[in-house]
Amino acid sequence: MALTARIPSVYARRIGVLASAAALAALTSLVSAPAAQASPPTPISAAAARSYLATVTPQAEGSTSGYSRSLFPHWTTVSGTCNTRETVLKRDGANVVVDSSCASVSGSWYSEYDGATWTAAADLDIDHVVPLAEAWRSGASSWTTSKRQQFANDLTRPQLIAVTDNVNQAKGDLDPGKWLPSRTAYRCTYARMWVEVKQYWGLSMDSGEKSALVGILNGC
């Protein structure tokens, strides 16, 4: 009888040990799991973008006369030693490690435009979805330098994204009528991003640009 009475308590202790081990394993898994891939702020929906485009009257694109990137001051300090570029690199990467000056020294970045993955921050540019020169031709030439600085460092709208450097350089200051990400799966998102940024900042669109955006968004 005494032996029989002890059996449940033995099993209870074993179950407790197993439960503790399982909980520890789960906690360890959570701690060691890689960080989720981050991304720019979610843009407006395709329906909202289409709705806005329906109200847009195309305008001829302005001139680049007088344009200079220095008229759009960037990158500005966001917090401590971190500027806008470093903030976007940390946001858009996985397992990003920075040094005391906030420079990214390791991590992994997936470039949505072309599907490439990079492990060195030097291989990435921070793209202005609506390029600075495009903004200038679309109305920003009349803005104050302070407003242009806000535009160039806008972390609230989907205006900044870490992408393969030479892809960004190939894009240059082209609008969606002349350039789109080679990764077709991202084109709907890109069009939504573009429309939201232009809508928020009150920038105009030319006919080719609007037509391209309508065509993309109609397929989303």
Side-chain angles (χ1 to χ4, degrees):
M1 288 295 293
L3 178 59
T4 303
R6 286 198 299 270
I7 290 175
S9 63
V10 169
Y11 277 111
R13 286 196 298 274
R14 287 179 179 173
I15 291 170
V17 169
L18 290 172
S20 297
L24 179 60
L27 178 60
T28 301
S29 176
L30 287 173
V31 170
S32 61
Q37 185 73 27
S39 62
T42 302
I44 58 175
S45 68
R50 287 193 295 268
S51 179
Y52 173 69
L53 285 173
T55 72
V56 172
T57 300
Q59 298 179 30
E61 196 164 72
S63 168
T64 53
S65 176
Y67 167 73
S68 169
R69 287 178 66 85
S70 65
L71 294 172
F72 293 78
H74 63 288
W75 305 108
T76 56
T77 300
V78 174
S79 171
T81 59
C82 300
N83 65 22
T84 310
R85 172 182 164 81
E86 299 301 347
T87 299
V88 174
L89 284 172
K90 287 194 293 181
R91 182 198 68 189
D92 289 2
N95 300 320
V96 178
V97 176
V98 300
D99 61 19
S100 60
S101 64
C102 204
S104 299
V105 295
S106 65
S108 176
W109 291 268
Y110 179 76
S111 172
E112 293 283 8
Y113 287 1
D114 59 332
T117 297
W118 303 99
T119 56
D123 290 320
L124 297 137
D125 278 353
I126 306 304
D127 179 44
H128 289 97
V129 172
V130 174
L132 304 183
E134 165 68 20
W136 179 270
R137 297 189 297 264
S138 304
S141 59
S142 66
W143 293 353
T144 63
T145 300
S146 176
K147 185 173 180 179
R148 287 192 289 264
Q149 177 175 315
Q150 292 171 41
F151 174 81
N153 296 275
D154 188 1
L155 292 166
T156 304
R157 265 63 54 181
Q159 162 68 342
L160 301 171
I161 183 171
V163 296
T164 303
D165 54 3
N166 60 5
V167 170
N168 179 53
Q169 291 151 25
K171 170 187 171 180
D173 63 354
L174 302 178
D175 68 38
K178 300 165 186 168
W179 185 93
L180 288 169
S182 61
R183 184 170 163 260
T184 56
Y186 200 67
R187 288 183 179 179
C188 278
T189 301
Y190 183 77
R192 289 159 51 206
M193 294 164 77
W194 184 282
V195 172
E196 179 174 348
V197 172
K198 282 235 164 170
Q199 178 183 21
Y200 178 84
W201 289 97
L203 296 169
S204 65
M205 295 186 186
D206 63 41
S207 57
E209 173 188 355
K210 177 181 176 180
S211 178
L213 290 164
V214 169
I216 297 164
L217 291 164
N218 281 344
C220 297

